[in-house]
Amino acid sequence: MTRFFVDISMSLDGFVAGPDAKLEEPLGKGGERLHDWVLRLASWRSTHGLDGGETGPDDDLVRATRERVGAEIMGRRMFSGGEGPWEDDPNADGWWGDNPPFHVPVFVLTHHDREPVVKEGGTTFTFVTDGIESALEDARAAAGESDVLLGGGASVVQQYLRAGQLDELNIHVAPILLGGGVSLFGELGTDAPGLKLRKVVESPFVTHVSYEVVKA
Amino acid sequence: MTRFFVDISMSLDGFVAGPDAKLEEPLGKGGERLHDWVLRLASWRSTHGLDGGETGPDDDLVRATRERVGAEIMGRRMFSGGEGPWEDDPNADGWWGDNPPFHVPVFVLTHHDREPVVKEGGTTFTFVTDGIESALEDARAAAGESDVLLGGGASVVQQYLRAGQLDELNIHVAPILLGGGVSLFGELGTDAPGLKLRKVVESPFVTHVSYEVVKA
């Protein structure tokens, strides 16, 4: 059975974006610091069409994650930062230009119908309007023998956690306090699933913690 | 210079107590699971007057922490769970009976005057009503060459972080989602200090992360 997992950077105070996210500052105030650890890595640079970069445990981990992913799911806000009808979204093409860094089929959860978009480098964006379970079915079918990555954002992560459909949480804890913003887990209440620690990988720049989600 | 540090268990979703904390359930719903990792340890058992227990990296870390502490600061809620005048507090003697597990001078932050209480085993409770800086001065004086531990709770941790007085954050991340409750960091806003990763220690039961607080 292939696996469905989250892979996301979070501040020590639990935020995946800082306060006041907007089109010009999609990760909110200070939020770009969540990703300082990854931007230096050879694996990250190569998926973005860049040479060079650092190797080591952080890089090995990012590379291994990329290699297991056959499809990705993300929320509309992560895709464009917008909401509502696509024709009114100033960032309707997404953040990533002609050759996005995903290189796999991406399924975008939205309430607004739209034809699929085919980009260079193997990335396609398919817009799913009939719910998270349908998106997961589509992504699993597209991924074949590979795993499905849930890229974010927080709202979508919480929806899949409540629905009991995630197998694994991989959190990159950045050594920062954002002071506010978008909380990854929010308040799941009694829907919060059990966890089991899988693995910890550390570097001076970030702490990677991986958990198995315990199915009820 | 001696150091002033936090040492506290937190869930992956950032809570140091579960929802609906009350006298009969001081850590709220599910909150006792925050401490599952420590209750098994020889070092924890010995401070509570019990024999036996497990050794290993978790135990080494707890023992090393205890050995550096010369005084502790805690909030009124952590001391008794109550608020308001002491004569109306049904738990005014605290949670720990005649021989509390601290074995050092403890300074309790409160708005309500009270004479010090001397317990067995080296624990004294001194009640400080003139603010967090005063409590820290008293605790540093009592600790001498040793360090000062801030035991909690969340409100007091946030107050000292905002005031820029903490040197070190030691967080034991329990592999659980509490779904709600008392958030350790809350929303510190622009008062959130910088951090630098010091050390990570892992075990199957908990992930210990230690940060240096970067002074402005």
Side-chain angles (χ1 to χ4, degrees):
Chain A
M1 185 68 176
T2 63
R3 289 168 68 85
F4 180 41
F5 71 103
V6 167
D7 190 274
I8 200 163
S9 293
M10 179 181 89
S11 64
L12 182 64
D13 50 352
F15 300 105
V16 292
D20 305 322
K22 54 191 171 188
L23 194 56
E24 302 74 32
E25 198 174 32
L27 289 170
K29 282 204 178 71
E32 78 290 342
R33 292 186 294 147
L34 287 164
H35 302 125
D36 280 351
W37 69 274
V38 77
L39 305 184
R40 65 179 77 224
L41 303 179
S43 51
W44 186 90
R45 293 179 59 84
S46 77
T47 57
H48 289 74
L50 302 166
D51 291 332
E54 294 174 23
T55 56
D58 293 338
D59 188 59
D60 293 343
L61 186 139
V62 169
R63 194 177 306 275
T65 299
R66 277 290 153 203
E67 283 171 0
R68 61 186 280 208
V69 172
E72 177 161 347
I73 294 173
M74 67 176 64
R76 160 72 181 273
R77 288 289 186 107
M78 180 169 162
F79 175 76
S80 76
E83 58 183 357
W86 289 103
E87 55 269 29
D88 301 332
D89 186 334
N91 195 37
D93 193 47
W95 303 105
W96 303 281
D98 293 334
N99 190 349
F102 306 105
H103 311 295
V104 293
V106 176
F107 296 86
V108 180
L109 285 157
T110 170
H111 297 292
H112 300 273
D113 278 325
R114 180 172 174 186
E115 290 298 305
V117 173
V118 178
K119 294 285 192 177
E120 297 168 14
T123 300
T124 56
F125 292 112
T126 302
F127 301 89
V128 181
T129 55
D130 53 351
I132 62 171
E133 310 215 356
S134 172
L136 181 53
E137 273 176 36
D138 293 350
R140 279 201 200 278
E145 299 293 305
S146 297
D147 291 336
V148 175
L149 166 64
L150 178 56
S155 162
V156 176
V157 172
Q158 291 171 31
Q159 288 176 54
Y160 277 111
L161 279 172
R162 288 180 195 277
Q165 289 181 313
L166 277 159
D167 299 307
E168 184 182 325
L169 297 180
N170 296 338
I171 315 285
H172 314 288
V173 182
I176 60 173
L177 294 169
L178 282 176
V182 180
S183 166
L184 175 56
F185 294 109
E187 302 208 344
L188 289 165
T190 51
D191 291 331
L195 300 178
K196 188 158 178 263
L197 192 57
R198 293 178 71 235
K199 196 174 61 168
V200 176
V201 174
E202 58 165 307
S203 85
F205 310 107
V206 64
T207 308
H208 312 277
V209 287
S210 176
Y211 300 89
E212 194 78 22
V213 180
V214 179
K215 300 299 170 81
Chain B
M1 185 66 177
T2 63
R3 290 169 66 85
F4 180 41
F5 72 103
V6 167
D7 191 274
I8 201 163
S9 294
M10 179 181 89
S11 64
L12 181 65
D13 49 353
F15 300 105
V16 293
D20 304 322
K22 54 190 173 189
L23 195 55
E24 304 74 32
E25 198 174 31
L27 289 170
K29 282 204 178 71
E32 78 289 339
R33 292 186 295 148
L34 287 164
H35 302 124
D36 280 351
W37 68 273
V38 77
L39 305 184
R40 66 179 78 223
L41 303 179
S43 51
W44 186 89
R45 293 178 59 86
S46 77
T47 57
H48 288 74
L50 302 166
D51 291 332
E54 294 175 21
T55 57
D58 293 337
D59 189 57
D60 293 343
L61 186 140
V62 169
R63 194 177 308 274
T65 299
R66 278 290 153 204
E67 284 170 2
R68 61 186 280 207
V69 172
E72 178 162 344
I73 295 174
M74 67 176 66
R76 161 74 180 272
R77 288 290 185 105
M78 181 169 160
F79 176 76
S80 77
E83 58 184 355
W86 288 103
E87 54 270 28
D88 301 332
D89 186 335
N91 195 37
D93 194 47
W95 303 105
W96 302 280
D98 293 334
N99 190 351
F102 307 105
H103 312 295
V104 293
V106 177
F107 296 85
V108 180
L109 286 158
T110 168
H111 298 292
H112 300 272
D113 278 325
R114 180 174 174 184
E115 290 298 307
V117 173
V118 178
K119 294 285 193 176
E120 298 168 14
T123 300
T124 56
F125 292 111
T126 302
F127 301 90
V128 181
T129 55
D130 52 352
I132 62 171
E133 309 215 356
S134 172
L136 181 54
E137 273 176 34
D138 293 350
R140 280 200 199 277
E145 300 293 303
S146 297
D147 292 335
V148 175
L149 166 64
L150 178 57
S155 162
V156 177
V157 172
Q158 291 169 33
Q159 288 175 54
Y160 278 110
L161 279 172
R162 287 180 196 278
Q165 290 180 312
L166 278 159
D167 299 305
E168 182 182 326
L169 297 180
N170 296 338
I171 316 285
H172 314 289
V173 183
I176 60 174
L177 294 169
L178 281 176
V182 180
S183 166
L184 175 55
F185 294 108
E187 301 208 346
L188 289 166
T190 51
D191 291 332
L195 300 179
K196 187 156 177 267
L197 192 57
R198 294 178 69 235
K199 195 173 63 165
V200 176
V201 175
E202 59 166 303
S203 85
F205 310 108
V206 64
T207 307
H208 312 276
V209 286
S210 175
Y211 300 89
E212 194 80 21
V213 180
V214 178
K215 301 297 170 81

